[in-house]
Amino acid sequence: MVKAVFDELEGERPKRHFTVGIKDDVTHLSLDYDMELDIEPDSVDRAVFFGLGSDGTVGANKNSLKIIAEETGKRVQGYFVYDSKKAGAVTVSHLRSADSALRSSYLIASAKFVACHSFPLLDRYDVLEYAAPGGVFLLNAPFGPDAIWEALSRESQTTIVEKNLRFFTIDAYEVAKEAGLRGRINTIMQTCFFAISGMIEPDLAIAKIKAAIEKSYGKMGSEVVQRNFAAVDHALAHLHEVAHPGQVTATHGRPPIVAEGAGEFIERVTAVMMAGRGDLLPVSAFPADGTWPTGTGKWEKPNIAMEIPVWDPDICVQCNLCTFVCPHAAIRAKVVEPETLAEAPQTFLSADPRSKELSGLRYLLQVAPEDCTGCTLCVVVCPAKDKGNPRHKAVDMAPQAPIREPERENYEFFLSLPEVDPARFKKIDVRTSQFLQPLFESSGACSGCGETPYIKLMTQLFGDRLLIANATGCSSIYGGNLPTTPYTTNTAGRGPAWSNSLFEDNAEFGLGFRLSIDAQREHARGLIERLRTEVGEELAAVLLDTEKLEAAGLDTARERVAELRKRLATMEDPRARELDSVSDYLVPKSVWLVGGDGWAYDIGYGGLDHVMSMTRNVNALVLDTEVYSNTGGQQSKATPLGAAAKFAAAGKSIGKKDLGMEMMSYGHVYVARVAFGARPSQTLQAFQEAESYPGPSIILAYSHCIAHGYDLSHGTEQQKLAVECGQWPLYRFDPRRVEQGLPPLALDSKAPKGRVRDYMKNEARFRMVEKIDPVRFRHLQKQADREARERFAVYEQLAGLTIPRRVEEEEEGA
Amino acid sequence: MVKAVFDELEGERPKRHFTVGIKDDVTHLSLDYDMELDIEPDSVDRAVFFGLGSDGTVGANKNSLKIIAEETGKRVQGYFVYDSKKAGAVTVSHLRSADSALRSSYLIASAKFVACHSFPLLDRYDVLEYAAPGGVFLLNAPFGPDAIWEALSRESQTTIVEKNLRFFTIDAYEVAKEAGLRGRINTIMQTCFFAISGMIEPDLAIAKIKAAIEKSYGKMGSEVVQRNFAAVDHALAHLHEVAHPGQVTATHGRPPIVAEGAGEFIERVTAVMMAGRGDLLPVSAFPADGTWPTGTGKWEKPNIAMEIPVWDPDICVQCNLCTFVCPHAAIRAKVVEPETLAEAPQTFLSADPRSKELSGLRYLLQVAPEDCTGCTLCVVVCPAKDKGNPRHKAVDMAPQAPIREPERENYEFFLSLPEVDPARFKKIDVRTSQFLQPLFESSGACSGCGETPYIKLMTQLFGDRLLIANATGCSSIYGGNLPTTPYTTNTAGRGPAWSNSLFEDNAEFGLGFRLSIDAQREHARGLIERLRTEVGEELAAVLLDTEKLEAAGLDTARERVAELRKRLATMEDPRARELDSVSDYLVPKSVWLVGGDGWAYDIGYGGLDHVMSMTRNVNALVLDTEVYSNTGGQQSKATPLGAAAKFAAAGKSIGKKDLGMEMMSYGHVYVARVAFGARPSQTLQAFQEAESYPGPSIILAYSHCIAHGYDLSHGTEQQKLAVECGQWPLYRFDPRRVEQGLPPLALDSKAPKGRVRDYMKNEARFRMVEKIDPVRFRHLQKQADREARERFAVYEQLAGLTIPRRVEEEEEGA
């Protein structure tokens, strides 16, 4: 059905797809519509702009509307279309102005002016579809007016010629660079818009732009103002109308949205949504049960790094710290048999392993050049320096452009090599964990994100049996922003199952996963009991001995279940069909509740607390950025003393809620506080212990964040400072230790050394508070230092408690 | 408008008020209806029963329906009408049976059989209105068949005569007593129903009743079964048809629902609802803003005690412990000038005060005979024994009936005496606090309730400035069960403002009180600033100096505000009107968030936690019964290890959530854990400190409860045990102590002595668990003992922490 609909769509390509409604070909309750209908009078000026998320296009357009309204008295209207992606998102601005009231409460389909502020967007979206015949098209591109025509695809050239568009181009990034504006092109493009759109007298508009610059940047000093003035003036000098041949000369077409062979669903549904044409999909195109394929993130490569890491195998110590901290799984390690490298591309690198355990194999470290966002965390943590040149490390940053193509080929080859069997390693530690395939890749998380390394690690350790209930927040955005998800599968086709619920019920939602798994497992066990003879006494016994089955490992459990299903397939009994349908639940699953501090400390706290108070085996991962990051910066109960948030600028006067202590006070909850950048081995241990603990577990994970206000390449260094000064003590509270007569709390960091204030001064979220009221801030700093030490003293006392053993002994004697 | 409607209603007295709809005389959107319309065929057998809450009437009627359906094959239907009151509630059962399907989805208006299971109900409700002409009326009354007619009111006699009812009577309590069934009359009345209603062959029905008895009580032994069998047989022997004179002979009419002079609103609205005729009230009868008068609980006296306390002034030590622990403010102390007693009733008692502070006055201790529920807590706590006769205390229980009338008169006289000025006392301690007027009286709380003594104390201490946000639960039921409320006002007309919100938002709801008070106060202050000259410089200065104003005390603040309003009244400026409307907010208010553990630990916990994490001055009172008492017994996170609940019979395997510890971990929250029965002085101190603390405060209050499964006359003894064994450690965590270099936590109870298991064995909630699985229970007991000691050890360490001072000193040096 889907295919038929698409063939039809392709035959009859809609011209104004943004104004159509949804076609419901399942219930047939939608009304038909005429795609050509256009009742908007020509007197309405219309302009459409394609920009990159956070390039300033939307803000500049809002300012343009203001200028038009104020200077001409016209009515204006703006619609801004964008999604919730963290990086690599597109924005589409729809601007109207007219002498009379604007009553078009829909997007623009045909515009007299169309601008594309980023050259690659022209190939990803059908930008020129929006252009009215005889309209104006403005393109920002890194080519001169003479070379630009040949850089266009056949489709773009065809539309320009057929619609007889006037075509202007500017290399805005070059202009910005000359003016010292480091990639800020919004004012430049705005100037060009006013110069050629005819929507307002250009000189008047430019005077207003300059006035706005004066107002916005005046307090930053006259130099900044002058730089922006220069950008405006240069813009006009570098804006060129393209004298094109008036006929299609291109030899290349637009590349497909996804590569051929991605699979029917991805090509027919996912790709359509990626192209911004999801509204065109009929209802039948969507999965009836809401299940979407995983492993689709890779079709949306961010490809935003100017520089990427380059490996020097000669000095590398193969610690794999670089891959451990990488937020995008963009630098990966592998060990392979040497013969698998026979067909390796020319520039593909490998080394002899330094570990004896791996001798005979080859060690690989490979960058995914289009996944890397250039955050440099890998370089910062790399401990291997060239003795001759201390500025040269085993991974160094280098410009991406020259090596992008060969590295893409190398990365593809790397992916094609077999994955190592985890059983190959004596122990999964920081180093060996990084030989395990991450099942989270090409996410849209921010460059340098402090959350994703935890999620990636979770997928490396438990990915083949993982179910994730994800609270709303950053992790739900980069984790499953329709139509793609970074969660993917291993070569056996297994990977995490993931779903997003509300802020306020995510813990309960995930508990539901556990309850249903447990219920289905019990159901399966009951059926085996009843079908003992038919299934075979021996196999039944093995499957019913849960403890042994779990101890034997996942592969064994899966083999046993496979054997069971083979036998069931030959049986007539309807109970055999039923058992077959639930048999997968005999294999252990790992349920994780994932979310940020807004979820865990605030909005979902009541539910999280309740789920933790129960005894079911669920694991909570709290990605603690200490602020509502996704919504732009509201203070949460996790926000530390003295920190400002975008929407709570005064700075918090109450200390961070001690969620870990609250959870520990239950006694039966596994609790860990970790910081991957400070002590990766402790982080790893906490994940392993939490998962193996048969009751509720919670991991509080320090997550540096752009909201903290510093260059995240220093993220791991700040993590170290946070731990050292007592702002973020590391510990693991394991109720199992009581059985050994030990206090359950083990402190993994030492008593505070240095001052919290030194940690605070590195982050703008604290410095902002100082700026507002230095006296109050000094008081808050003092308080922060005191509270850190007080808290640590309490932990130390709890960690030293020998009560459990003492009482046990007394009991024995009683 | 209301009056007119009532005059109209009275003229045209509706016959079938249970079937009518609401008359909306405000929007006029309701439809008119014919009160006489009755489309139910005569072939439907209909019976209506009036019973007392928890007298077993509803259960017996459900059983009767089952018997009729099973034995006759008829269709049956039952509607049961009752409210949420804890004590003194009425139940109305509407039973139908017929050969064909019953489609009457409304209550019965005209029944062939009407029963009244409690004689006093006949005067409170229009029971006979439900009787169809020629029907049968059954009355349980403590009179013989010869005396009963004269005991009826004129109205009852008139209806019996006019409707020509067959009238039967039985003294069911006497029958129950003879059969050894202690007040359980349900089976007796059920037997009579079958014997005379004609709805089923009596012998058949009685055989089935006996079979049901066998089934219900069989496991309790044959004696219990035989006793119930005897009750059935005696019932028939004691059931008499009344041969009445066929004309009205009564000289007394039905008493009014409320006394004359209660006020127009109470007489015209409250009383109508109390009579069960609230559906007759037109919309205009209700307060437009939802505000209801307080002080209305007194019109619904429970009057359920068989015995009440009697005071012996000669041996009384005047400690006032009896009044402190009384759940119903039914025993009260006062000190008055001797001359005020000149007109005292004959039996009114008084004594010379034992305290020198009060010399010259007279000490009074008075029982409210109709408010007392006979719980005996006052007698249990009384420390004053007669040396000659140790079984005689300063308060002893004595039968109510003989002393009810004189004590009612004495109580009315007691209430008429002036209240003492609190400033008269050097200090408000347990003893003097009980001279303060409780502003919570005649509540419908259970006899022996462990919650209400805290609420009563709160009203004694802060009643004239109290705003209560009450979460749903027992406290919202006995606190404000429309149409009455036990919250009342003092002689100045001031008392608590009270409102009930949801389980899930009560803390936020109460925070809203605080925010709006604070905002209005700021608004008032702003207006004073602007009207300084007009108001008078001196008065303005006094009113703006909040700290001084608060320190000067409530009366002074109120006088200043009164002076302000006097001056404002003479001013033309519209700002003066505005200031007048908010001037009351210049007087300090006390905001309390009240609720049970279901609210604080579970459903409202997320919100409570958030409100406590803020810095606003609100006080939370958690009435911790360790179970959802109001809804019948669901386990909460406050339920202790090893306790069963009605709907969680297995017994809790996880310890009680340590809410106090969680709140203490914030550092800025005042936290106290109290048990009024164990250490009243500590309870009082905690309330005083919580209220005076200028930030958020929370009091966790041990509340014994019928759900714990023991005779609540032992409530205070169990509280003592709970504290001694470490099950309920007492403490006060006051952040203000840090300023004095002290640890904020002060432990008010000693290290556990004795065993938690000894505390557990007194309560059925624990014993039930033992019964189900004795081995597991022993393990839980052991664990409970261990956890109590561990917890105490942690508290001890926290209480001994000297970190704050140490760090402060270091800071000074730094």
Side-chain angles (χ1 to χ4, degrees), chain B residues 343-606:
Chain B
E343 310 274 305
Q346 223 178 342
T347 60
F348 193 83
L349 297 175
S350 66
D352 278 331
R354 302 203 169 215
S355 156
K356 272 186 200 149
E357 187 185 17
L358 304 172
S359 65
L361 301 175
R362 293 291 287 173
Y363 174 86
L364 314 177
L365 191 72
Q366 177 60 46
V367 170
E370 293 173 317
D371 283 354
C372 177
T373 64
C375 72
T376 76
L377 281 176
C378 53
V379 175
V380 172
V381 300
C382 177
K385 284 176 191 154
D386 183 352
K387 277 166 198 162
N389 172 15
R391 291 185 59 192
H392 171 49
K393 285 176 150 190
V395 277
D396 277 344
M397 296 306 281
Q400 186 226 38
I403 52 174
R404 178 174 157 189
E405 283 305 322
E407 286 304 327
R408 180 155 63 184
E409 201 190 337
N410 288 337
Y411 182 56
E412 265 166 37
F413 178 73
F414 175 90
L415 290 180
S416 75
L417 296 171
E419 296 291 336
V420 71
D421 179 357
R424 183 80 177 70
F425 308 115
K426 274 191 221 103
K427 191 185 155 194
I428 300 297
D429 53 20
V430 169
R431 188 178 55 87
T432 55
S433 71
Q434 295 312 303
F435 293 125
L436 308 180
Q437 186 186 359
L439 298 177
F440 180 83
E441 62 183 14
S442 309
S443 82
C446 299
S447 181
C449 177
E451 297 187 350
T452 43
Y454 296 111
I455 295 179
K456 187 189 58 170
L457 179 65
M458 180 175 68
T459 69
Q460 289 174 304
L461 298 173
F462 326 119
D464 57 352
R465 60 185 179 282
L466 194 54
L467 291 97
I468 300 170
N470 207 125
T472 296
C474 282
S475 55
S476 76
I477 299 305
Y478 60 65
N481 203 353
L482 264 188
T484 64
T485 172
Y487 290 97
T488 189
T489 53
N490 60 18
T491 42
R494 293 199 179 91
W498 183 93
S499 192
N500 164 222
S501 188
L502 303 173
F503 247 139
E504 61 266 36
D505 73 356
N506 189 59
E508 298 92 317
F509 181 61
L511 176 69
F513 293 12
R514 183 81 261 168
L515 295 178
S516 83
I517 291 166
D518 291 353
Q520 308 235 46
R521 182 182 184 143
E522 278 317 297
H523 185 47
R525 289 167 53 86
L527 286 165
I528 293 175
E529 290 276 16
R530 273 173 280 158
L531 294 168
R532 268 196 117 102
T533 326
E534 295 88 330
V535 160
E537 189 60 45
E538 200 183 337
L539 180 61
V542 168
L543 287 167
L544 288 172
D545 189 341
T546 307
E547 258 179 55
K548 246 193 203 155
L549 195 69
E550 289 195 3
L554 224 52
D555 288 344
T556 312
R558 284 187 177 130
E559 279 162 25
R560 300 279 187 262
V561 170
E563 174 59 28
L564 170 70
R565 298 184 72 171
K566 219 170 77 188
R567 295 187 191 179
L568 293 174
T570 65
M571 288 159 55
E572 296 280 321
D573 196 324
R575 289 174 303 178
R577 296 286 72 67
E578 209 178 326
L579 177 52
D580 184 67
S581 76
V582 292
S583 59
D584 184 43
Y585 293 97
L586 294 162
V587 179
K589 312 276 178 223
S590 186
V591 175
W592 287 74
L593 324 174
V594 174
D597 48 288
W599 162 63
Y601 285 72
D602 284 4
I603 301 177
Y605 173 57

Side-chain angles (χ1 to χ4, degrees), chain A residues 605 609-610 613 615 637 654 657 666 668 782 786 789-790 794 797 801 803 807-808 810-811, chain B residues 605 609-610 613 615 637 654 657 666 668 782 786 789-790 794 797 801 803 807-808 810-811:
Chain A
Y605 173 57
D609 176 59
H610 203 83
S613 84
T615 53
K637 289 203 281 297
I654 296 291
K657 175 182 167 77
Y666 276 117
H668 73 285
K782 232 166 131 169
R786 189 179 64 227
R789 277 185 270 178
E790 280 174 36
V794 171
Q797 299 208 7
L801 272 190
I803 305 301
V807 173
E808 275 312 342
E810 207 179 300
E811 290 297 330
Chain B
Y605 173 57
D609 175 59
H610 203 82
S613 83
T615 52
K637 290 203 281 294
I654 296 290
K657 176 183 167 77
Y666 276 117
H668 73 286
K782 233 168 130 166
R786 189 180 62 227
R789 277 184 269 177
E790 279 173 37
V794 171
Q797 300 210 6
L801 272 189
I803 305 302
V807 173
E808 275 314 340
E810 208 179 298
E811 289 299 330

Side-chain angles (χ1 to χ4, degrees), chain A residues 255-271 293-296 298-299:
Chain A
I257 298 288
V258 296
E260 300 262 337
E264 169 154 338
F265 185 84
I266 289 166
E267 287 173 40
R268 298 236 164 231
V269 182
T270 311
T294 54
T296 45
K298 57 173 167 278
W299 307 114

Side-chain angles (χ1 to χ4, degrees), chain B residues 756-764 766-767 770 781:
Chain B
V756 176
R757 59 192 74 171
D758 297 325
Y759 160 81
M760 292 166 87
K761 72 164 193 265
N762 293 338
E763 304 193 2
F766 298 109
R767 287 199 309 271
E770 183 170 24
Q781 276 183 320

